[in-house]
Amino acid sequence: MTGDQERPGDQDRHHDSIRLTVGAGTDRGLRRELNEDSFVAAAPLFAVADGMGGHEAGEVASRICVETLAEYARERPLGAAQMQQLLADADRRIRIAAASRAGTTVTGAALVEERGVAYWLVFNVGDSRTYRLSQGKLEQISIDHSEVQELLESGRITAQEALVHPRRHVVTRALGTGDDAEPDFWMLPVESGDRLLICSDGLTSEVSDAHIYTILNSTERPQDAVQGLIQAALRSGGRDNITVLVVDAALTCEADQEATAPRHEEEDTNTLPRPVAGQPGAAPTEGEP
């Protein structure tokens, strides 16, 4: 029996000249009693938060984070300055609600426009990760804020040693707790055919980048890729909560051409707004995915 899992299904979102197709899922894993991960997947914003603190405090921290992002992202244009303010607001809300005893990582991307050009605005605090698969190459965009990453960058350990280091889960930045909640940002021009992967470390601590690449590169539908990645993490031990978003981008002219092609009846065409994990309407199911 696996943990609680959400399967929202692929959803198409239009953003001017870009059509986004989104898959999302979360699973508490095989060893955790609670799922402290939360996510938001509502264009133009996609994010995963991994709560820390235990005894439901981590769940509260991650939920406050994604609720803050979702609430404000729909009301104002997004850019680096706006995202920085949103994350600062989330940090403040979590500290008030949990008295600085709980925190959360957060990573993700917002689709923004600068001078008529579409960009991914990628942001990160902590060790959840955002990747981009583009033109057959998988690249980790975010950089972990963790003790192991610092050891790796200083040359004191190798990449292989980092995978099994006893302090690999110790983060150096988080929202809601500690002294450093400063986010990092990256701006990447959107290219047709981009596939973003946004995930908690419950995936990356169990599944190698090479295996992640194989699944992303060989699976057409985002929701199928999400389920494949979650299953891979569970088969590898599922020692932590696992949350995965996969976002595909296509130019609307290309997407419209695809839309005229015959479609299988079972293909999911749901375009209702995606609920935020932890809120009413996000109905998890139990059992094997």
Side-chain angles (χ1 to χ4, degrees):
M1 200 75 162
T2 69
D4 297 340
Q5 193 170 83
E6 295 188 14
R7 306 174 187 164
D10 294 330
Q11 295 194 19
D12 288 343
R13 305 283 186 173
H14 291 276
H15 189 273
D16 298 328
S17 62
I18 304 293
R19 175 177 288 176
L20 304 177
T21 307
V22 185
T26 187
D27 192 290
R28 74 170 180 263
L30 302 176
R31 301 193 184 181
R32 297 295 181 92
E33 294 183 1
L34 296 174
N35 192 342
E36 294 183 284
D37 289 356
S38 300
F39 69 86
V40 56
L45 182 63
F46 308 92
V48 167
D50 180 354
M52 306 173 295
H55 304 292
E56 300 187 9
E59 179 185 6
V60 170
S62 68
R63 188 186 72 243
I64 290 173
C65 177
V66 299
E67 286 177 346
T68 301
L69 296 180
E71 175 185 342
Y72 286 93
R74 298 187 184 101
E75 298 177 0
R76 64 179 79 171
L78 286 175
Q82 290 78 19
M83 281 303 309
Q84 190 163 26
Q85 184 59 54
L86 282 176
L87 294 170
D89 288 347
D91 178 60
R92 176 182 54 80
R93 289 184 176 190
I94 295 166
R95 289 178 189 273
I96 292 172
S100 297
R101 292 192 300 269
T104 186
T105 71
V106 63
T107 193
L111 185 63
V112 302
E113 189 172 296
E114 295 287 342
R115 299 181 180 178
V117 178
Y119 287 87
W120 300 116
L121 173 60
V122 176
F123 52 91
N124 183 65
V125 181
D127 63 351
S128 294
R129 293 182 180 177
T130 297
Y131 294 79
R132 178 169 69 164
L133 178 64
S134 182
Q135 300 180 359
K137 179 182 177 182
L138 181 66
E139 179 184 9
Q140 181 182 333
I141 305 302
S142 61
I143 299 174
D144 295 352
H145 299 135
S146 67
E147 287 191 4
V148 162
Q149 182 66 30
E150 292 178 355
L151 293 172
L152 191 60
E153 290 177 353
S154 68
R156 295 168 63 186
I157 62 172
T158 67
Q160 288 300 315
E161 290 171 335
L163 296 175
V164 295
H165 196 280
R167 294 183 66 79
R168 63 189 179 277
H169 298 301
V170 179
V171 299
T172 55
R173 296 189 203 178
L175 298 184
T177 189
D179 298 326
D180 194 349
E182 187 70 20
D184 288 338
F185 293 98
W186 298 262
M187 288 280 282
L188 310 171
V190 177
E191 297 181 5
S192 191
D194 277 355
R195 169 166 280 188
L196 293 190
L197 166 65
I198 304 166
C199 60
S200 61
D201 70 334
L203 174 68
T204 55
S205 63
E206 300 286 7
V207 184
S208 69
D209 282 6
H211 194 181
I212 288 172
Y213 169 79
T214 298
I215 294 172
L216 289 176
N217 198 49
S218 62
T219 309
E220 182 177 355
R221 287 180 48 174
Q223 190 61 34
D224 293 338
V226 166
Q227 297 304 320
L229 291 165
I230 290 175
Q231 280 296 297
L234 292 171
R235 285 193 297 269
S236 294
R239 286 163 285 192
D240 200 353
N241 308 144
I242 309 153
T243 300
V244 179
L245 307 183
V246 174
V247 184
D248 285 358
L251 297 177
T252 52
C253 59
E254 296 176 3
D256 289 342
Q257 290 175 0
E258 293 177 2
T260 62
R263 304 180 67 177
H264 297 294
E265 290 184 1
E266 68 271 20
E267 185 170 350
D268 192 339
T269 58
N270 178 22
T271 57
L272 293 174
R274 181 185 309 283
V276 175
Q279 290 185 335
T285 61
E286 290 196 4
E288 290 290 338

